[in-house]
Amino acid sequence: MVAVFGWAAGCAVAPRPMVDPGYAARAYTPLRVAVLPPDVFVVVDQVGDNDPAMSAALGQQVSAQIVHVAEQTLRARGYDVDLSARWDGIFGQDGAVLVSRDQLGGLANGVLAFANSPAGGPDATLGAPQVIAPDLAGRVGWATQSDAVLYLNVKGAVTTPGKRTASILAGVFFVVIIAAVIVALAASSKGGGNGGGSGWGHGAGGAPRAGSVARAPASGGWHGTPVGGSGSGWRGTPTTGTAAAGSGWRGAGAAPRAPVGGPVYTGGGPHIGIGIGVVVPLDGPVYTHDGSVDYDDPMFAGDELYVSMTLVSTYDGRVLWHARDNVDLEADHPEHIDQMVHAFLDTLPPALPRPR
């Protein structure tokens, strides 16, 4: 009964997001959100050696589903959505590179530098402004004509039925061994009591006897122009190649004041601990974009996802909304992915009416 209760409690997704005070008070709010391709690291845990191809295929499937559900959820909350960003860059209608691969990766790593810090932990708040790579965020806003950019990072493990069965059998085996040892010790103690000095505690003669996983590739449906809806089409060709062209406020409400004196998280330099070649544990609150995750293939495996989602203003790079949590859900169940994305993004404040 305790195990069933714990399982049910773990499956309940109840993220506790942090929201910028101005955004929460509706003093200002974005109208159009650019969604970066999600970083998904997932392991299919099998008996024996795990199959990397199977893990990559599941990761690709989860990535595509996250994008689809995120777009639906954001539109349901009144936001326009742009899906033109790809990990190889953002391109104009003429094929020109508007935002490079390295710039997008730098923005993602800046978000993760914040998410992996104490300020981005599950119990933190946004009392003080947190700023992420404002120049890069502004450039993405200019290229996508968006007021905010959403980055999602998911990593976790899926246990196959065979591995679950093996874990159960191993557990039963250990229980049987422990029970046999206890019975043997009890019998030895009882027999020693009649022999006078041969058991424990009866004189000096009675002393006791002595894994790395790569990010899932972007799904085939991700590439190309934004998906459906009046807000998903390209809104004109940028007239300048500078990030400053997108720094004008386009959202509803008064333009937020640029934060002064707060920490700024950037995607460059080794000081943030994120980058190519970095290996982070799969089962822990540390996330990576360019690196990989390590899985130690435990005997008693379980299904769990570690999720981080962050909404960043393209006006000044401030964190508008952030949620980080781990949930006991199975990535190979589409309904679980739907539940996870809705549970997180449903905590976003809804969009304000369009300015006239």
Side-chain angles (χ1 to χ4, degrees), residues 56 112 128 138 162 165 185 188 218 308:
L112 292 176
T165 301
L185 290 176
S188 174
S308 177

Side-chain angles (χ1 to χ4, degrees), residues 130-312:
Q130 306 291 317
V131 179
I132 295 174
D135 292 339
L136 296 178
R139 190 169 189 87
V140 172
W142 159 72
T144 61
Q145 294 296 287
S146 300
D147 310 302
V149 57
L150 178 66
Y151 173 73
L152 307 93
N153 190 295
V154 177
K155 57 191 179 75
V158 174
T159 307
T160 61
K163 183 60 177 282
R164 289 195 188 97
T165 301
S167 298
I168 293 173
L169 292 177
V172 171
F173 174 77
F174 283 120
V175 169
V176 170
I177 293 298
I178 292 174
V181 171
I182 293 175
V183 170
L185 290 176
S188 174
S189 176
K190 183 177 180 180
N194 295 328
S198 62
W200 291 13
H202 295 281
R209 302 178 178 89
S212 293
V213 182
R215 181 178 68 239
S219 65
W222 178 262
H223 300 280
T225 57
V227 178
S230 61
S232 64
W234 184 267
R235 296 188 175 183
T237 302
T239 58
T240 176
T242 62
S247 62
W249 176 251
R250 297 172 296 274
R257 295 183 177 180
V260 178
V264 178
Y265 302 88
T266 62
H271 59 281
I272 62 174
I274 299 296
I276 295 176
V278 173
V279 178
V280 301
L282 185 70
D283 55 344
V286 179
Y287 301 85
T288 184
H289 162 67
D290 288 323
S292 59
V293 295
D294 180 65
Y295 185 62
D296 58 5
D297 203 7
M299 173 62 71
F300 301 104
D303 300 291
E304 194 161 23
L305 297 175
Y306 293 81
V307 185
S308 177
M309 299 187 184
T310 310
L311 184 70
V312 178

Side-chain angles (χ1 to χ4, degrees), residues 81-151:
V81 181
D82 179 88
L83 300 179
S84 60
R86 310 180 329 209
W87 280 133
D88 59 345
I90 301 177
F91 300 87
Q93 291 177 318
D94 59 355
V97 178
L98 304 179
V99 183
S100 70
R101 174 188 181 277
D102 290 341
Q103 289 170 327
L104 283 179
L107 179 59
N109 283 337
V111 173
L112 292 176
F114 160 73
N116 291 330
S117 71
D123 298 324
T125 62
L126 284 177
Q130 306 291 317
V131 179
I132 295 174
D135 292 339
L136 296 178
R139 190 169 189 87
V140 172
W142 159 72
T144 61
Q145 294 296 287
S146 300
D147 310 302
V149 57
L150 178 66
Y151 173 73

